[in-house]
Amino acid sequence: MYQYDQYDQTIVDERVAQFRDQTQRYLKGELSEDEYRVLRLMNGLYVQRHAPMLRVAIPYGLLSSEQLRMLALIARKYDKNYGHFSTRQNIQYNWPKLETVPDILADLASVQMHAIQTSGNCIRNTSSDHLAGVAKDEIEDPRPYCEIIRQWSTLHPEFSFLPRKFKIAVSGARNDRAAVSVHDIGLYLVEGANGNVGFRVLAGGGLGRTPYIGTVIREYLDKKDLLSYLEAILHVYNRFGRRDNIYKARIKILVNSLGAEKFTKLVEEEWQRLREGALLLEQKEIDRVRAYFQAPEYEDNAHHDDSFAEKLETNKDFAAWVKRNVHDHKMPGYRAVFVSLKSRNLAPGDATDEQMDAIADIAEKFSFSQIVVTHDQNLVLNNVKQADLFMVWQALSAEDLATPNIGLLTDMICCPGLDFCSLANAGSIPIAKQINDKFDDMDYLHDIGEIKVKMSGCMNACGHHHVGHIGILGVSKKGEEYYQLTLGGTAENEASLGDRLGPAVEKSKVADTIGKILNVYIELRQEDEKFLETYKRVGIEPFKDHIYPKKQVKEKELAHASH
Amino acid sequence: MRVIKDNKVIDDNWQIVEGSAIESGLPAGDVILPFSVWQSNREAILSWNDRKLGLLINGEHDIDDLAGDLDHFNIIAIEFPAFKDGRGYSQARILRDHYDYSGDLRAVGDVLRDQLYFMQRCGISSFLIKEEKDIEDAIRGFSDFSVKYQTAADGAEPLYKQR
Ligand code: SF4
């Protein structure tokens, strides 16, 4: 993985000093609430319901064991012994004290980490494929480009006060595991007509209150033009993006109000001004950064091993875990292991300090000391030998990290919601618990198979509900928590936004309603059809009919009419 | 006005005048005129030859409209109505990078210590600090960072070229 040199280290160290000074000036009254707010947000510090919340950047989700141990230490030293991994592949702490945040940042800097631009109206952490570097379907490893983008965007003088936050994602695989098309800018590494690899560029994707799938604005971009093209897009957005209405300030609104064609024209014109200048990305730099992401020293004969097959035969629980939580790898004899942060004993995405320490140790012993955060709020050990899987499973099980539910119903995405977030309309974590309580039969969950449930506590859609196979959105009706369900969304290839099922349901009925949805699926599915496939084939009607029988709807309409 | 320039606090003769001043009578000395005043009185203003001219713009204005006129101005003041409004950074870069504007570029409005480093990198060369703030203290804002990753209007090479 990427290693800081003296320059990178100087920047994070100077950032710590700057923020320490800003915090002191604020505490002394020299900076107003409003002035400090913008500065602290650029360091990922929010003021939430109970306490400040600090979001720490995990660039493209990649951590070393040493870094994960530091995250555990921070949870212990400054927080209540846990952290929350977010859909942005970052980690959030819910209980730090404001005065201690400069110290936390200093501790982070000691392991080449920071919280720069994890919030605020600036370019955020670039996210990527959690199987980058090991996936079989990869065209090229996207992480070097994420790192190049990270450096270019860090403290960018022109783009630190954008109309709104700005998120970039890069995928290098044929299957999109990074939700690229719902980012402000999405980049796919693709093979061009000339046989070289370059980027397909999307702009204007995003969730939130007006969700859009991004538009392709350039089919092919040479790598050398990456930074000039990004700069051109950002420049157009910074100039013309709306600033009068926070709900209309994202680039997706600009792209759609100008029309993709006009928007693209502005970008291309600006790009012509920029492309030959200092932004031209030299091959030398691409090679330099790529060298950090070289494959580890795999053992050539790792697949010459019978113990794995034998254990699969003899241990049913292990086999169930392998089936759900272990993924193919480009190297024979190696696998990528998902560490489930969706046990029923913790909120989705949470990990305790002890768990983090344990995972760091397991990664050090079995996976070249690397850990990846997924945007589904799990972790991945991306280079485990098949002969070691059994030991890894045992070690993870001992820490409640081996629930065999990756991709299943209980592997939900869930935002912090009403329990922590001051913007929330409704709780998410209690709904996750309700779902876990109702669906506690593993055989049933395995029978249902792959299904993505995504849940947000408000329109901001941090839980990506629009692109859940089942999406759950918390709304508030006369002060009561209600939940709006959508079906059929997906952020993968052929991305689509979910369709509304019907009126929002009350809090106590969410899991039951999901049960009914699943009944319809079970009844209608053909052979091995997955939930999303069945949905795409039959559409929303059968689900509507079952969950909101006509009679009931009629009565409701009548009741409305008579008011 | 009392501004920061070249890392020092200086006093200069520039004064920003109201749009109505053109009828009610301009003060003596060098004036910075609002964009709208310039636009509607261009010919008349060009016939003045007793004073230096400056122009006040904000994020709404399109620099391309000014392309042929930039040489008339010794100074262009960019207004930051709120420090969160970052359009001025792009305006400055268009002036410096695209039009090679070489006069003084002055940030006015909600201009605060913690934005100066970014402003300077975008080519802004003088700074009218918000009234109630300590102008001497603000100077420290320029030295927040000694390393720059990316190129900007300050002519910095991308960092990787040093590596
Ligand atoms: S979706 Fe809403 S409630 Fe959930 S974390 Fe985001 S802002 Fe908070």
Side-chain angles (χ1 to χ4, degrees), chain A residues 48 415-418 421-426 428 456-463:
Chain A
Q48 292 290 37
C415 81
L418 199 58
C421 174
S422 46
L423 302 170
N425 288 324
S428 322
S456 311
C458 80
M459 302 265 250
N460 285 327
C462 302

Side-chain angles (χ1 to χ4, degrees), chain A residues 228-429:
Chain A
S228 56
Y229 207 77
L230 292 180
E231 191 138 329
I233 297 174
L234 264 301
H235 180 85
V236 168
Y237 171 55
N238 192 42
R239 282 186 67 193
F240 301 114
R242 284 183 64 172
R243 291 173 189 267
D244 58 332
N245 180 341
I246 169 171
Y247 300 116
K248 303 214 153 123
R250 295 287 291 267
I251 193 174
K252 60 191 176 188
I253 304 291
L254 180 67
V255 172
N256 284 279
S257 66
L258 289 175
E261 208 175 308
K262 175 95 192 293
F263 175 81
T264 308
K265 187 167 164 274
L266 288 173
V267 170
E268 292 275 329
E269 278 169 13
E270 180 60 25
W271 182 48
Q272 295 308 329
R273 293 182 182 185
L274 298 172
R275 60 185 296 197
E276 297 303 332
L279 284 164
L280 198 79
L281 182 59
E282 291 177 10
Q283 186 61 37
K284 182 177 125 239
E285 170 65 356
I286 296 177
D287 295 340
R288 183 185 76 88
V289 180
R290 276 173 76 167
Y292 288 106
F293 294 91
Q294 265 168 14
E297 291 196 16
Y298 293 122
E299 287 174 25
D300 292 336
N301 57 0
H303 56 298
H304 293 149
D305 150 73
D306 299 327
S307 68
F308 175 50
E310 190 193 311
K311 287 281 194 261
L312 282 178
E313 281 286 308
T314 53
N315 191 317
K316 210 171 113 265
D317 290 342
F318 175 60
W321 174 78
V322 169
K323 182 161 177 246
R324 286 310 332 170
N325 293 23
V326 173
H327 198 279
D328 290 350
H329 195 287
K330 66 177 183 189
M331 269 306 284
Y334 281 83
R335 300 286 190 283
V337 169
F338 284 74
V339 177
S340 172
L341 300 183
K342 309 294 173 67
S343 111
R344 45 178 314 173
N345 302 314
L346 280 178
D350 281 7
T352 66
D353 59 330
E354 279 174 29
Q355 288 178 321
M356 289 189 248
D357 277 335
I359 297 163
D361 290 347
I362 297 167
E364 187 167 285
K365 215 157 148 198
F366 298 109
S367 194
F368 300 95
S369 296
Q370 284 188 15
I371 303 99
V372 192
V373 185
T374 78
H375 88 274
D376 293 338
Q377 304 177 288
N378 292 303
L379 303 179
V380 169
L381 305 171
N382 56 4
N383 286 301
V384 180
K385 262 193 312 191
Q386 68 177 54
D388 294 337
L389 285 170
F390 191 74
M391 281 183 285
V392 168
W393 172 66
Q394 286 180 314
L396 290 173
S397 299
E399 297 293 336
D400 193 19
L401 293 165
T403 313
N405 64 348
I406 298 300
L408 299 183
L409 180 71
T410 51
D411 182 13
M412 294 165 271
I413 288 189
C414 175
C415 81
L418 199 58
D419 294 76
F420 296 102
C421 174
S422 46
L423 302 170
N425 288 324
S428 322
I429 296 170

